[in-house]
Amino acid sequence: MTSDVDASGPGPEARLPLRPGLEGLHPYGAPQLDVPVLLNVNENPHSPSEEVVSDIAESVAKAATGLNRYPDREFAELRAELSEYLRIESGVRVPAEQIWAANGSNEVMLHLFQAYGGPGRTAISFDPTYSMYPEYARDTHTTWVTGRRSADFTLDPAHAADLIRRHHPALIVLTSPNNPTGTALPLETVVAVLDAARGSGPAGPDGGHTDSVVVVDEAYGEFRRAGVASALTLLHEHPHLTVSRTMSKAFGMAGLRLGYLAAAPALVEHLRVVRLPYHLSAVTQAAALAALRHREEFIAQVASLRQERDDLVEWLRARGHAVADSDANFVLFGMFEDRHAVWNGLLERGVLIRETGPAGWLRVSVGTPQEMAAFTAALQEVDPR
Ligand SMILES: *Cc1c(COP(=O)(O)O)cnc(C)c1O
């Protein structure tokens, strides 16, 4: 027996060759504080039901008997079930081969940047939007360019077209419903961007311009209000479009890490090239399949969260707050001269929301009715009107 070696602490000094540009950077992430009411990262507030939990446990146990083998690299069964889910949820039939999945839509997005971005390439988006995107660009050496959303947080198609023509982006990221504003884009705006993207990408091997890939990030797609369409309905006419979804929000499975997208077959083929082999573990595949078997339960839960969201918007407006229209499971509200003081006052009362978005605004996720009651009570104390 050898004695234990203690490897703790910095030990002797080394000059590690950190890539230029990464010096002094911090890992991404909202503060994870231990507070009774967590309304800061847009999770589904309901734990999975007992039936879902036991189905996942059984499926994972079964998968565990085969863990000596590598998993199905093409996750065929999971793609088929995600395809079926999209058909039920949005009425669009996307064949299983046109579905791609990875560990969260974060990784799906990274695959897109790995396939289409890179040195000399540009990706564009429109602020205010999701703050993770610039990190995918940084990590793939892709130039990141941002335009702006209008005062009501929608997108002016002329501004978008102008930016696209000037930068010849390989990727255009549209977030709809947008985070942190909750804004869904009308399909006409998405179509205008798709049209502008044609022949506006970087030069291809023959010297002519490619088509920019348009990514519509629908992480919150299930929460859209009645009459708001999904960009999935545009897929059959636009082979340079891809729509990404996640099980993290509506499905209440943020801890599972499963995101996916729908796209034309050629685009999915490109993503297969850059993924790490066996990126989706057998455990993840088994758990996701089990959760998907309970889709009716999640769809019903989304309906009640949507209703709570609409009630919250109404309550905030009745108090005289500015509130951005929301098609998501969170609400951006304001305006506060000192938003940090309001955020902090809520935190002192055990309610954690997110200090994000343009100056003067705060974002609150939709929680359970009890959590919403705690939030509204705390806000009335912190900001009496
Ligand atoms: C939460 C969120 C995601 C989800 O990421 P996962 O990796 O699937 O958990 C993606 N896009 C936006 C805009 C989000 O807010």
Side-chain angles (χ1 to χ4, degrees):
M1 271 276 279
T2 53
S3 62
D4 285 354
V5 175
D6 184 1
S8 64
E13 292 261 313
R15 289 181 57 208
L16 300 174
L18 185 66
R19 212 177 84 197
L22 297 182
E23 308 92 345
L25 295 186
H26 297 287
Y28 173 89
Q32 293 189 310
L33 304 178
D34 190 12
V35 167
V37 181
L38 293 172
L39 301 174
N40 64 330
V41 288
N42 305 338
E43 295 152 332
N44 184 322
H46 303 286
S47 315
S49 70
E50 266 177 51
E51 293 78 54
V52 175
V53 170
S54 62
D55 198 0
I56 289 176
E58 237 171 78
S59 303
V60 168
K62 199 156 159 245
T65 65
L67 283 183
N68 55 314
R69 303 289 177 195
Y70 282 106
D72 174 7
R73 209 166 43 208
E74 303 300 335
F75 43 100
E77 196 185 349
L78 180 56
R79 285 159 113 173
E81 288 309 311
L82 289 167
S83 154
E84 177 63 5
Y85 170 72
L86 286 184
R87 188 188 63 75
I88 293 167
E89 197 277 329
S90 65
V92 178
R93 275 194 307 110
V94 183
E97 316 79 68
Q98 291 179 231
I99 302 278
W100 183 248
N103 296 283
S105 58
N106 285 177
E107 191 183 36
V108 169
M109 206 65 87
L110 186 63
H111 287 164
L112 286 163
F113 275 73
Q114 286 173 326
Y116 298 111
R121 295 261 166 129
T122 298
I124 70 173
S125 190
F126 300 88
D127 276 336
T129 194
Y130 190 41
S131 49
M132 267 299 287
Y133 301 138
E135 304 213 357
Y136 314 134
R138 178 198 74 197
D139 292 345
T140 57
H141 304 265
T142 307
T143 302
W144 180 245
V145 170
T146 48
R148 54 183 160 68
R149 283 178 174 250
S150 312
D152 65 356
F153 304 129
T154 60
L155 182 58
D156 172 15
H159 165 63
D162 176 57
L163 202 68
I164 292 164
R165 277 191 288 269
R166 277 195 285 132
H167 291 281
H168 296 293
L171 284 160
I172 302 164
V173 183
L174 302 178
T175 318
S176 178
N178 187 37
N179 180 6
T181 66
T183 323
L185 294 174
L187 283 195
E188 305 86 79
T189 304
V190 179
V191 170
V193 170
L194 284 163
D195 290 345
R198 281 286 195 178
S200 294
D206 61 359
H209 281 285
T210 55
D211 303 315
S212 314
V213 170
V214 178
V215 185
V216 180
D217 181 348
E218 291 192 352
Y220 302 97
E222 284 95 337
F223 296 104
R224 64 194 186 275
R225 289 170 296 175
V228 176
S230 163
L232 287 167
T233 57
L234 301 172
L235 214 49
H236 66 296
E237 290 177 326
H238 302 277
H240 57 315
L241 167 67
T242 177
V243 180
S244 77
R245 293 281 186 106
T246 178
M247 290 181 75
S248 294
K249 308 287 162 58
F251 242 89
M253 289 280 147
L256 174 65
R257 308 309 301 135
L258 197 102
Y260 55 102
L261 60 67
L267 194 151
V268 171
E269 279 307 300
H270 293 159
L271 303 184
R272 288 181 66 213
V273 174
V274 297
R275 64 106 158 79
L276 293 171
Y278 315 112
H279 67 292
L280 274 185
S281 83
V283 170
T284 300
Q285 294 184 43
L289 280 165
L292 282 163
R293 283 196 285 275
H294 298 268
R295 52 186 156 247
E296 302 300 339
E297 179 180 325
F298 290 106
I299 289 171
Q301 203 173 68
V302 163
S304 79
L305 288 168
R306 272 206 226 105
Q307 184 59 51
E308 270 189 77
R309 183 257 334 267
D310 292 342
D311 293 348
L312 176 63
V313 168
E314 206 177 302
W315 183 84
L316 287 164
R317 285 194 175 137
R319 291 194 88 224
H321 289 287
V323 183
D325 282 335
S326 177
D327 283 284
N329 65 337
F330 56 84
V331 175
L332 190 75
F333 68 106
M335 308 279 298
F336 299 105
E337 238 165 69
D338 185 354
R339 72 170 173 181
H340 183 73
V342 177
W343 177 85
N344 203 48
L346 294 171
L347 184 58
E348 281 166 5
R349 287 160 181 81
V351 179
L352 180 62
I353 68 169
R354 191 82 179 265
E355 190 178 355
T356 184
W361 296 82
L362 290 167
R363 192 192 73 189
V364 59
S365 311
V366 174
T368 61
Q370 295 84 331
E371 288 170 328
M372 289 290 91
F375 165 73
T376 54
L379 185 63
Q380 281 170 299
E381 280 181 31
V382 174
D383 179 42
R385 301 189 162 212

